[in-house]
Amino acid sequence: MGSPIDAGPLIWGHLVLLVGGLVWALACTAMLAMKWKVPPVLATAPLLAHGGFVLGVVMWAGSGLPIGADDPAARAVSLAGAISTMLGHASAAVAVLPVAALLMLGGLFAGARGRRRFGAPGLVALLGFGAAAMPLVALVLVGADMPLAAGRFVLYGLATLPLAGALVGAHPDDNSREGGLIAAAGFAALVGSSELLCHSGQWASGLAAIAAIHPDEKSIALAALSKEIDAAATLSWVSLGLAAGAGLVALLRPSADLTDEEILSGNISPSGMRWLGGALSLLVPLVWAAALLAVDPSVSAAGSN
């Protein structure tokens, strides 16, 4: 089996990203509250960095492990060792939650003032509550863990409120557009990290149970476990997809109509760089989706064969 990864530097890595991300998010939140147009790609950098760090750790832990053994029992044991290493480190992804929450608060500060439109907030509220409903669907359909399902339902539901509030402001020349995109990226990181933790925990507990059964039954049990978790993972992808959809709404939503005075003054003009800085914030849900995909044992097994 591949060389184990020293957990010490990884713990420090998560700690540095957490503390640095909080400082960065606090500064961005203060600037948003002072009506600064903070580029979303800069404000959401901690979310992107933490997702990239988790993705890198998971891929590093899963590389070079001899998963493709001919003997089913050896394959199951190898899978257990590989995934215990990968998922043990992936669970620390939830360290991004305070940073995401703080950035969502900054987005709410930006969107809670100025000229308002309620179409986009209503749509993202539907998307957010849809993401919140998926853990309950998993609870009913695949027997997901009750505390984790209820916790994610409450977390996503509460987070939807500042997300929708951040998109209320729609004046084309204030910072409400930046605030909405930043809040949407924070929501995507919140959903992605929570689903990653849940998915990791399911595999870790399932493989621990498989380790205790007879070797001849490991392959059958592993197939059954994979089928069960794949069903739950599909709902995780739906949650993350709905969260990413909120970012698209924040990017593509129309601004409020200008007054006659604003039209005559000609001081308000669209900026391509401003749009690009907002569009790049959509990398946040993509990197968390990549981390969720990388931590899937079936993907790791396919990559090692």
Side-chain angles (χ1 to χ4, degrees):
M1 189 170 294
S3 300
I5 298 176
D6 186 1
L10 296 178
I11 293 173
W12 278 105
H14 284 291
L15 182 60
V16 168
L17 286 168
L18 170 60
V19 175
L22 283 172
V23 173
W24 187 281
L26 183 61
C28 291
T29 298
M31 288 188 287
L32 288 168
M34 293 187 294
K35 303 182 180 181
W36 288 30
K37 295 177 183 176
V38 183
V41 66
L42 294 180
T44 60
L47 307 178
L48 189 63
H50 212 134
F53 179 77
V54 172
L55 174 61
V57 170
V58 168
M59 294 181 66
W60 184 23
S63 64
L65 292 169
I67 298 177
D70 293 330
D71 179 52
R75 180 182 176 86
V77 171
S78 179
L79 267 174
I83 305 308
S84 64
T85 302
M86 293 167 58
L87 304 189
H89 296 301
S91 62
V94 290
V96 80
L97 289 180
V99 181
L102 190 55
L103 286 173
M104 292 188 72
L105 180 63
L108 179 61
F109 287 156
R113 56 175 177 261
R115 200 168 308 157
R116 301 177 178 180
R117 295 187 70 165
F118 295 97
L123 181 55
V124 298
L126 289 176
L127 293 173
F129 289 127
M134 289 303 105
L136 298 185
V137 174
L139 181 65
V140 173
L141 296 183
V142 297
D145 183 76
M146 169 69 83
L148 281 176
R152 285 180 292 152
F153 170 73
V154 173
L155 179 63
Y156 301 169
L158 290 177
T160 297
L161 302 179
L163 171 64
L167 271 76
V168 169
H171 194 284
D173 200 40
D174 62 17
N175 67 347
S176 58
R177 178 166 295 276
E178 284 78 9
L181 283 161
I182 291 168
F187 186 73
L190 181 147
V191 172
S193 60
S194 299
E195 294 300 325
L196 183 61
L197 174 66
C198 182
H199 191 60
S200 303
Q202 288 176 314
W203 273 109
S205 59
L207 290 173
I210 288 176
I213 67 176
H214 192 276
D216 294 339
E217 300 175 354
K218 289 183 184 292
S219 182
I220 297 175
L222 182 61
L225 175 66
S226 179
K227 183 177 180 180
E228 177 183 341
I229 295 181
D230 282 349
T234 299
L235 296 173
S236 293
W237 283 107
V238 173
S239 291
L240 189 52
L242 292 171
L248 284 174
V249 172
L251 178 66
L252 301 176
R253 65 177 176 144
S255 299
D257 296 331
L258 299 176
T259 64
D260 292 339
E261 180 181 352
E262 288 169 339
I263 294 174
L264 292 174
S265 68
N267 291 328
I268 300 175
S269 59
S271 168
M273 292 302 295
R274 185 184 183 191
W275 189 91
L276 179 61
L280 289 175
S281 67
L282 297 181
L283 291 173
V284 171
L286 292 180
V287 75
W288 283 101
L292 185 60
L293 179 64
V295 83
D296 191 321
S298 61
V299 174
S300 299
S304 297
N305 286 330

